[in-house]
Amino acid sequence: EERLKGGVTFIVLGASGDLAKKKTFPALFALFQNSFLPRNTTIVGYARTKMDSAAFYSRIEPYLKPKQDDPKKSVQEFLKMCHYVPGQYDDEKCWEDLDRYVSDLETKHSLKDEQKNRIFYMALPPSVFVSVADGLRKHVYSKTASTSIIIEKPFGKDLESCRALLQDIQKLYKEDEVYRIDHYLGKELAKNIMTVRFANMIFCPLWSRVHIDSVQITMKEPFGTEGRGGYFDEFGIIRDVMQNHLLQLMSLVAMERPVGRDAESIRDEKVKVLKCVKPIELKDTLLGQFVKSGDKPGYLDDDTVPKGSLCPTFAAMVLWIDNERWADVPFILKAGKALDNGKVDIRIQFKKLHGSLFEGVARNELVFHVQPGEAIYMKFNNKCPGFSDDSMITELDLTYRTRYKNLKVPEAYEALVLDALRGDHSNFVRNDELIASWKIFTPLLHQIEKEKIKPEPYLYGSRGPKQLNGFVRSYGVERLAHE
Ligand code: BG6
């Protein structure tokens, strides 16, 4: 990589935690296996837990998945690049020690000053976030070459706390040094939305209120919040996945055509469309909380959840974009824990056909099946094959598994870490994007908390609250038959 000529030290803060173990190190390993890490890459894990490198290796190794034709050897080679340094998050001396450790490694690789690039990956809880960013800036920020800092949600809890966090970071780092992860932007199908929309003439003229009746973006998870009830209860489903992941998907579906494919052109359009979204109203919202079903515990049965918590684990809400393209088209966002299955999809439902020639046929629907198993398909009316003249709904189907047989779709974190190594901000969240997104959600979140709105109960493993079908139907959505 031209940008990181010489070498790079990738420093993972919070290296003993879950995110680092399950996402960051496996992503780095996958990039290593595919020869995407620049020459002279060194990885340094840093966290409070005292342990030696051997103990650290045995902690991350179970999550490193070598390719089939490449057993074990690559894991050992990768681990040789990894180091572990224990230390505190608020102690100058520890930061100085870390800086010395990294400098020694750079010297070992004979890096000249202008070749010393450092990347900080913050796999940390929000409570220590700013103090670590500060310590790093003061003591580990290399003055001689590039520095990047990769950070993850939560970016605050509402507009005000987000602003404060952005300001704290802005005092320390320049905007182009900061990479704010929303890992949904690293998913293959999220990255594909722009291509499908803007590289296909057939969709360009159809993509508006003239032909589209509704857009539904759904994220279902089949598991509850077992074990992370403490964290979850402070945030709830709306902050956990809707204000960020689902809204990001929505802005990609709804934005105007960017003037270029560079990061600023794309993010300019996302911010513009978000600014047209009206703050969500309570009347356009349905909240739920899962309850015990069989041997599956309810949300409140978890000891780490405060008694009587009103925290929603499910929400459906309708967003309205007040511009020429989308006025009166409902964008329905739905997300829930402990549902009947796990999937993420985007359904763009077209308007009803007019005239009596094919009266009553189903509508067209374009579906981005984000996961599991990437697919794009179009619900489509076809003559029943054979002697019948009836029409039936079927699918024009682009399922990745069958179409691209030997492709291993990269994990979101792999794609994003590679983008950060390349210095490409397109799939990272800009500060004004965050502000615009919190403006849409903050009044609603505050109202829910202030008025203590009670979520509707739903059984663990069900489709959600029983009001859901009626809620969705009331915005004109047609449920299409499956074959
Ligand atoms: C995280 C949320 O951001 O995304 C989790 O905090 C959620 O609650 C996860 O489970 C879902 O990510 P993915 O990639 O598994 O769909």
Side-chain angles (χ1 to χ4, degrees), residues 153 182-185 187 190 193 215-221 237-254 270 274 280 314-317 319 331-336 343-346 370-371 437 440-441:
K153 79 171 173 67
D182 181 315
H183 79 282
Y184 267 54
L185 292 177
K187 294 194 188 267
I193 294 172
V215 176
Q216 279 192 85
I217 304 179
T218 307
M219 171 179 187
K220 288 178 153 202
E221 292 184 304
I237 194 76
I238 301 175
R239 292 183 173 97
D240 189 41
V241 302
M242 302 178 93
Q243 172 270 336
N244 34 53
H245 305 332
L246 299 194
L247 190 70
Q248 282 291 345
L249 296 178
M250 173 173 149
S251 61
L252 288 166
V253 170
K270 286 164 76 185
L274 289 178
I280 305 160
F314 173 97
M317 49 182 53
L319 279 66
F331 282 76
I332 306 172
L333 271 40
K334 295 180 287 178
K343 68 156 193 189
V344 176
D345 66 16
I346 304 172
V370 177
Q371 66 187 42
S437 70
I440 300 168
F441 282 87

Side-chain angles (χ1 to χ4, degrees), residues 309-326:
S309 166
L310 296 174
C311 175
T313 60
F314 173 97
M317 49 182 53
V318 182
L319 279 66
W320 302 100
I321 304 177
D322 197 9
N323 67 11
E324 272 179 323
R325 186 181 292 276
W326 296 116

Side-chain angles (χ1 to χ4, degrees), residues 153-222:
K153 79 171 173 67
F155 301 115
K157 287 192 71 180
D158 56 13
L159 182 58
E160 204 184 326
S161 50
C162 175
R163 274 210 174 108
L165 178 67
L166 290 178
Q167 276 164 13
D168 286 341
I169 299 293
Q170 256 161 21
K171 280 183 212 145
L172 302 168
Y173 299 89
K174 297 193 281 281
E175 177 68 14
D176 69 353
E177 292 175 328
V178 183
Y179 294 82
R180 293 183 202 87
I181 288 198
D182 181 315
H183 79 282
Y184 267 54
L185 292 177
K187 294 194 188 267
E188 183 68 22
L189 277 209
K191 295 171 87 176
N192 194 11
I193 294 172
M194 257 187 50
T195 311
V196 170
R197 282 190 59 190
F198 299 119
N200 289 300
M201 188 58 209
I202 53 167
F203 291 125
C204 300
L206 296 183
W207 213 264
S208 77
R209 64 194 301 262
V210 179
H211 299 287
I212 291 176
D213 207 57
S214 66
V215 176
Q216 279 192 85
I217 304 179
T218 307
M219 171 179 187
K220 288 178 153 202
E221 292 184 304

Side-chain angles (χ1 to χ4, degrees), residues 126-415:
S127 52
V128 294
F129 196 84
V130 175
S131 94
V132 172
D134 184 60
L136 290 169
R137 180 66 183 81
K138 289 198 181 113
H139 303 283
V140 195
Y141 186 96
S142 79
K143 288 164 204 69
T144 43
S146 76
T147 302
S148 312
I149 178 164
I150 305 178
I151 59 187
E152 292 235 14
K153 79 171 173 67
F155 301 115
K157 287 192 71 180
D158 56 13
L159 182 58
E160 204 184 326
S161 50
C162 175
R163 274 210 174 108
L165 178 67
L166 290 178
Q167 276 164 13
D168 286 341
I169 299 293
Q170 256 161 21
K171 280 183 212 145
L172 302 168
Y173 299 89
K174 297 193 281 281
E175 177 68 14
D176 69 353
E177 292 175 328
V178 183
Y179 294 82
R180 293 183 202 87
I181 288 198
D182 181 315
H183 79 282
Y184 267 54
L185 292 177
K187 294 194 188 267
E188 183 68 22
L189 277 209
K191 295 171 87 176
N192 194 11
I193 294 172
M194 257 187 50
T195 311
V196 170
R197 282 190 59 190
F198 299 119
N200 289 300
M201 188 58 209
I202 53 167
F203 291 125
C204 300
L206 296 183
W207 213 264
S208 77
R209 64 194 301 262
V210 179
H211 299 287
I212 291 176
D213 207 57
S214 66
V215 176
Q216 279 192 85
I217 304 179
T218 307
M219 171 179 187
K220 288 178 153 202
E221 292 184 304
F223 44 82
T225 50
E226 300 90 339
R228 56 196 286 264
Y231 154 81
F232 191 85
D233 202 76
E234 224 192 289
F235 289 86
I237 194 76
I238 301 175
R239 292 183 173 97
D240 189 41
V241 302
M242 302 178 93
Q243 172 270 336
N244 34 53
H245 305 332
L246 299 194
L247 190 70
Q248 282 291 345
L249 296 178
M250 173 173 149
S251 61
L252 288 166
V253 170
M255 70 181 184
E256 297 298 313
R257 176 190 285 274
V259 291
R261 281 165 66 187
D262 58 288
E264 297 329 317
S265 299
I266 294 169
R267 298 189 300 178
D268 284 347
E269 293 309 331
K270 286 164 76 185
V271 172
K272 261 164 63 186
V273 76
L274 289 178
K275 284 182 174 171
C276 296
V277 179
K278 297 188 204 157
I280 305 160
E281 292 190 49
L282 193 58
K283 69 172 172 50
D284 285 329
T285 307
L286 171 67
L287 304 177
Q289 188 184 77
F290 65 87
V291 297
K292 179 179 158 71
S293 167
D295 58 353
K296 295 290 194 185
Y299 179 69
L300 295 178
D301 301 329
D302 183 337
D303 289 340
T304 57
V305 169
K307 295 256 160 314
S309 166
L310 296 174
C311 175
T313 60
F314 173 97
M317 49 182 53
V318 182
L319 279 66
W320 302 100
I321 304 177
D322 197 9
N323 67 11
E324 272 179 323
R325 186 181 292 276
W326 296 116
D328 303 323
V329 178
F331 282 76
I332 306 172
L333 271 40
K334 295 180 287 178
K337 301 271 176 194
L339 295 176
D340 56 338
N341 62 34
K343 68 156 193 189
V344 176
D345 66 16
I346 304 172
R347 293 179 173 266
I348 296 158
Q349 191 163 96
F350 288 83
K351 291 213 186 274
K352 251 212 307 268
L353 217 59
H354 291 291
S356 56
L357 188 61
F358 282 103
E359 210 166 10
V361 293
R363 304 179 191 193
N364 293 119
E365 194 171 78
L366 175 65
V367 182
F368 288 83
H369 194 85
V370 177
Q371 66 187 42
E374 293 79 1
I376 299 175
Y377 55 92
M378 179 78 159
K379 293 273 186 184
F380 173 88
N381 292 304
N382 196 38
K383 185 183 95 57
C384 288
F387 294 112
S388 163
D389 280 330
D390 290 349
S391 63
M392 62 183 286
I393 187 122
T394 182
E395 283 157 12
L396 290 176
D397 180 11
L398 170 54
T399 294
Y400 278 40
R401 185 170 33 81
T402 46
R403 187 68 53 94
Y404 305 116
K405 286 210 175 61
N406 296 320
L407 173 83
K408 188 194 159 291
V409 174
E411 283 288 320
Y413 279 90
E414 291 170 41

Side-chain angles (χ1 to χ4, degrees), residues 25-144:
F25 281 96
L28 287 166
F29 176 62
L31 293 176
F32 168 74
Q33 281 193 103
N34 290 308
S35 310
F36 280 130
L37 293 186
R39 230 160 32 91
N40 293 330
T41 297
T42 308
I43 300 167
V44 177
Y46 182 92
R48 286 183 291 207
T49 312
K50 283 216 173 70
M51 61 181 149
D52 58 14
S53 292
F56 179 64
Y57 296 159
S58 55
R59 204 159 172 145
I60 57 174
E61 195 179 331
Y63 296 89
L64 307 179
K65 300 274 171 279
K67 289 187 196 161
Q68 256 165 13
D69 54 350
D70 182 26
K72 281 288 180 201
K73 205 169 128 250
S74 63
V75 174
Q76 296 315 322
E77 278 172 26
F78 175 74
L79 291 177
K80 273 192 214 142
M81 295 164 48
C82 298
H83 305 251
Y84 180 75
V85 179
Q88 297 306 310
Y89 290 145
D90 51 5
D91 181 345
E92 286 191 8
K93 203 186 139 297
C94 295
W95 295 127
E96 282 162 11
D97 289 347
L98 176 63
D99 185 57
R100 203 165 313 115
Y101 193 95
V102 174
S103 300
D104 288 348
L105 289 169
E106 287 165 340
T107 309
K108 226 193 251 162
H109 280 131
S110 324
L111 298 185
K112 300 199 202 79
D113 278 354
E114 69 275 15
Q115 297 178 316
K116 293 177 184 168
N117 304 291
R118 294 179 182 180
I119 297 180
F120 307 143
Y121 191 107
M122 311 280 270
L124 289 168
S127 52
V128 294
F129 196 84
V130 175
S131 94
V132 172
D134 184 60
L136 290 169
R137 180 66 183 81
K138 289 198 181 113
H139 303 283
V140 195
Y141 186 96
S142 79
K143 288 164 204 69
T144 43

